[in-house]
Amino acid sequence: MTHRRRARSANVSGVSATDDETTSGTVEAQRLFTLPPGATEILLVRHGSTVGIDAGGTFPVNADGDGDPPLSGDGEEQARLVGERLAHEPLSRLFVTTLQRTHQTAARLVELTGLQPEVVADLREIHLGDWDAGEYRVRIARRDPIIMRSFSEQRWDIIPGAERDELFGERVRRGFDHVAAQAGPDTTVAAVVHGGVIAEMCRQATGSEAFAFLGADNTSVNRFVVFPDGRLRLRGYNDTGHLDGLRSRNWVAGSASEPIT
């Protein structure tokens, strides 16, 4: 009996295959990500750095009782840089929250693109109760025991009067889903939001611990993809390439000890 010997050839995955198992044609090389048909890309951008506060001082408070500090000088420069970067993205919509730091951060992008931002109240920062008007920053600088317990247990509502974590998560997702619905399929949009909001959406997208993504830098770009079937994927976290020039001048973007506000 004569046996036909079959030559082997390597395929692109590194697994060998016989000639009669190998399909004809060229297998494509790996490519950069492109948005799948029907999907929506949402860029969550943290606002710029805000003004500091002295012990005993307070931030302005808006009509809803939320601490509402403006951008600092550094924050204004960050906002200019992120606006000039995002002007090159194929953005079809722009969103901000009820807090002035998001409006100020979006201003340069509005100037360059003409996009008029929609306010999404559900994407405002977590309410920190008795500490919302600046006390949180003072306490975190002092490593207050309640702050340390909050980080250890990964819950905000350990802070007196703070918004319950579960309600915060529901609110943020409602705001995110609103942005996705307004954006529609096959589009890219941006929303200027807050550090706690970004951390919460990263948690929901990845199933991580509650505070795993806390500490996104000011004006960082964080990329999410919503697929047509509703699946959510985090594609990029804490991208601050537009701040490289500031870093080269010995300026440090953000602070791990000041993860929100």
Side-chain angles (χ1 to χ4, degrees):
M1 180 182 294
T2 301
H3 296 276
R4 182 167 65 90
R5 191 175 177 185
R6 296 187 296 186
R8 293 185 177 274
S9 61
N11 66 16
V12 292
S13 66
V15 179
S16 61
T18 59
D19 287 342
D20 49 356
E21 293 171 336
T22 303
T23 58
S24 61
T26 301
V27 178
E28 287 193 25
Q30 292 178 317
R31 297 178 298 172
L32 294 175
F33 174 85
T34 56
L35 195 65
T40 304
E41 184 177 42
I42 298 176
L43 312 185
L44 294 187
V45 181
R46 191 183 177 196
H47 61 80
S49 177
T50 55
V51 296
I53 189 169
D54 296 323
T58 59
F59 285 142
V61 176
N62 68 8
D64 298 317
D66 298 310
D68 197 15
L71 295 186
S72 65
D74 283 340
E76 291 173 353
E77 177 68 359
Q78 296 163 20
R80 180 185 67 80
L81 292 169
V82 76
E84 291 172 359
R85 173 186 176 176
L86 293 177
H88 298 286
E89 295 276 351
L91 300 178
S92 62
R93 299 287 296 271
L94 178 62
F95 303 84
V96 294
T97 78
T98 55
L99 302 175
Q100 66 172 325
R101 53 195 183 269
T102 65
H103 295 249
Q104 293 169 345
T105 302
R108 178 58 174 160
L109 181 59
V110 170
E111 179 183 347
L112 291 172
T113 65
L115 292 171
Q116 293 304 307
E118 176 187 340
V119 175
V120 182
D122 280 335
L123 291 178
R124 68 190 181 279
E125 185 59 285
I126 188 165
H127 184 72
L128 295 177
D130 298 346
W131 296 1
D132 205 69
E135 182 69 13
Y136 173 83
R137 285 214 196 160
V138 174
R139 298 230 181 196
I140 201 170
R142 295 174 177 172
R143 296 298 191 266
D144 183 280
I146 295 177
I147 290 286
M148 295 300 100
R149 181 184 162 208
S150 174
F151 283 3
S152 175
E153 298 184 22
Q154 301 192 56
R155 294 194 65 86
W156 293 116
D157 52 16
I158 288 170
I159 295 171
E163 186 174 4
R164 287 193 56 80
D165 290 67
E166 290 79 9
L167 296 179
F168 175 61
E170 292 172 5
R171 167 168 70 77
V172 168
R173 186 54 184 264
R174 187 167 61 244
F176 185 91
D177 289 346
H178 172 81
V179 167
Q182 292 299 304
D186 304 306
T187 58
T188 297
V189 300
V192 183
V193 294
H194 307 270
V197 171
I198 291 168
E200 174 59 24
M201 282 311 307
C202 288
R203 181 196 70 79
Q204 293 190 28
T206 66
S208 71
E209 294 183 343
F211 284 13
F213 290 91
L214 198 61
D217 287 326
N218 292 112
T219 69
S220 61
V221 179
N222 305 272
R223 294 179 182 269
F224 296 79
V225 173
V226 182
F227 290 87
D229 61 4
R231 286 179 300 125
L232 176 63
R233 179 175 297 172
L234 175 65
R235 289 209 63 255
Y237 172 70
N238 204 38
D239 179 355
T240 57
H242 51 282
L243 300 180
D244 286 349
L246 292 180
R247 290 194 181 93
S248 69
R249 300 198 298 268
N250 298 320
W251 183 89
V252 179
S255 171
S257 66
E258 197 173 49
I260 68 167
T261 73

